[in-house]
Amino acid sequence: MMNSQPVRFTRRTFFRGAAVLFAGAFLSACGTTPRGYHGPRRALPIPPLADAVREGSGVTFRLDAGAVDAAILPDATTPVWGFNGAHLGPTLRVRRGEEVTLQVHNGLSEMTTIHWHGMKLPAEMDGGPHQPIEPGETWAPRFTVDQPAATLWYHPHPHGLTGLHAYRGLAGLFYVDDALSDGLNLPGEYGVDDIPVILMDHKFHEDGTLDDIEVPDLGLKGDVATVNGITNAGFTATTRRVRLRLLDASTMRFFNLRFSDGRTFHVVASDSGLLPEPVPVEHLYLSPGERTEIVVDLAPEEEIMLEAAAFPENLEVPEDEYALDFGLQDRFELLQLTGPPEGTAVPGALPAQLAPVPELDVTDAVEREFRLNTFEINGELMDMTRVDVTIDHDRPEVWTVVNENSDWIHNFHIHNAFFHVLSVAGTQAPIWTQGPKDTVALPPGTTVRLAVSFGQYPDPEWAYMYHCHMLFHEDQGMMGQFVMVEPGREADLGEVYGHTGH
Ligand code: C2O
Ligand code: CU
Ligand code: CU
């Protein structure tokens, strides 16, 4: 891990030639087939819905983390991690108001944690770095779902190892439904017209095993993109309208998504829930941890490709021999969509209204500032024993987040919260800011002002995290802790796991 004296650099030499070769990951003019694209297209794997045991308003799921062999590439076996015997995890699906119990068993040979990204819940149940699950142990958090319908996800969070554990495949989706989302005329049949799309990237050795050596400053940024755990995936629709629930589950990669014919599609939901109305777009931008739901219409039997395109202006990261290659010019074919047979019913108009915007009153709100620089926030690296922010009231706050680097991208995620992006300054680069969110991208020099609404579970003994969700940055220390307490109380973390550091 990082020593306590962070190296200050804003410029570093990097061999640009590597970036030019990466561009070959897209079926390109050079005529070579990129890794993972040999042989016929494979059907998109749909993660199974997790078995739920329901009793009254209670629902219990079991997740078993373990090592498993996966067929990420068509011509090799890759030892990875996952849940319940598969690479990645099953999709958990709950309703607002349900009391959820998760039985998370660690069948790995090392400690991990599992965090419910986007869920508002007591800090003790959050699955952050303070809730380790030792090998062979079962952790059973319990909480009541009290938030609108949304596409959330779960992933590991052991401090210093989050990137590696997520990269190996400990990730899954976590859907919340509610009465409003039930009643909307949007595609909603899981795996049929409502399709989970987990985007990741990997690096492979020649024999198909994962290259999981962290590269200085870039961590585990991959050069092969996968969807739901495979390369070269295709989905043949049976309807003319499909909803894709897109998650950037990569550790470091930003995606500029589009369809091969440049068609317009509609965004219907952001990280933390539905938008007020569908928004037509031709590109969609995701950074690690972000989710977006889109609706796309298909003509009978047509074939279109969901692609990752190069970022315009390189997301304002300088392109010279000193700049790091964040992969912003890489292009990938991600998922081929094939339209349904001729004669399939034409869908009606999309609903004009989706969900009302939750009002956040930020008059006289508490304001805080978070300055991101290299691996630090406000000049400090993460310390599990330090409380950075104590919130002793139940109102929304205004958080200003600044990316002080001129040549590094970051993003920012807050646990137990959703926010509205009030404003963006310092950049013209495209980022997604609409709707209720829990993670926002920060190109170089960007300042965002966020109206943040927190779940109300005051408890002085347990901390929530905020951090850059580029997981190598987070692991290097780009994370802080906040504790929510009753008015007039102080935070007191008590015993802290891994107290002596790494
Ligand atoms: Cu995706 Cu701290 O979380
Ligand atoms: Cu989170
Ligand atoms: Cu960062």
Side-chain angles (χ1 to χ4, degrees), residues 372 374 408-411 468-470 473-474 478:
L372 313 187
T374 310
W408 276 32
I409 45 178
H410 295 291
N411 73 2
C468 179
H469 217 291
M470 295 173 78
H473 295 183
E474 175 191 327
M478 197 162 224

Side-chain angles (χ1 to χ4, degrees), residues 379-400:
E380 295 197 279
L381 295 171
M382 167 72 172
D383 179 343
M384 283 180 62
T385 65
R386 185 185 69 228
V387 175
D388 298 283
V389 170
T390 302
I391 298 176
D392 64 353
H393 60 87
D394 59 5
R395 304 194 45 215
E397 298 199 344
V398 173
W399 286 21
T400 299

Side-chain angles (χ1 to χ4, degrees), residues 115-119 126 153 155 157 413-416 438-439 465 467 469:
H115 163 60
W116 322 106
H117 179 132
M119 197 65 83
D126 194 37
W153 66 302
H155 64 78
H157 220 304
H413 166 55
I414 309 173
H415 287 210
N416 185 47
D438 60 43
T439 307
M465 307 295 128
H467 55 90
H469 217 291

Side-chain angles (χ1 to χ4, degrees), residues 430-448:
I431 57 171
W432 183 261
T433 58
Q434 297 185 53
K437 293 188 58 59
D438 60 43
T439 307
V440 63
L442 287 141
T446 300
T447 297
V448 291

Side-chain angles (χ1 to χ4, degrees), residues 68-121:
V68 58
D69 282 340
I72 303 176
L73 301 169
D75 50 1
T77 296
T78 306
V80 291
W81 290 357
F83 293 98
N84 302 359
H87 182 210
L88 304 175
T91 300
L92 307 174
R93 191 151 203 178
V94 300
R95 294 190 63 78
R96 185 171 193 165
E98 283 188 311
E99 290 162 43
V100 182
T101 303
L102 292 138
Q103 296 190 326
V104 189
H105 179 256
N106 182 358
L108 300 162
S109 54
E110 59 183 283
M111 183 278 284
T112 194
T113 85
I114 300 298
H115 163 60
W116 322 106
H117 179 132
M119 197 65 83
K120 290 187 171 185
L121 75 189

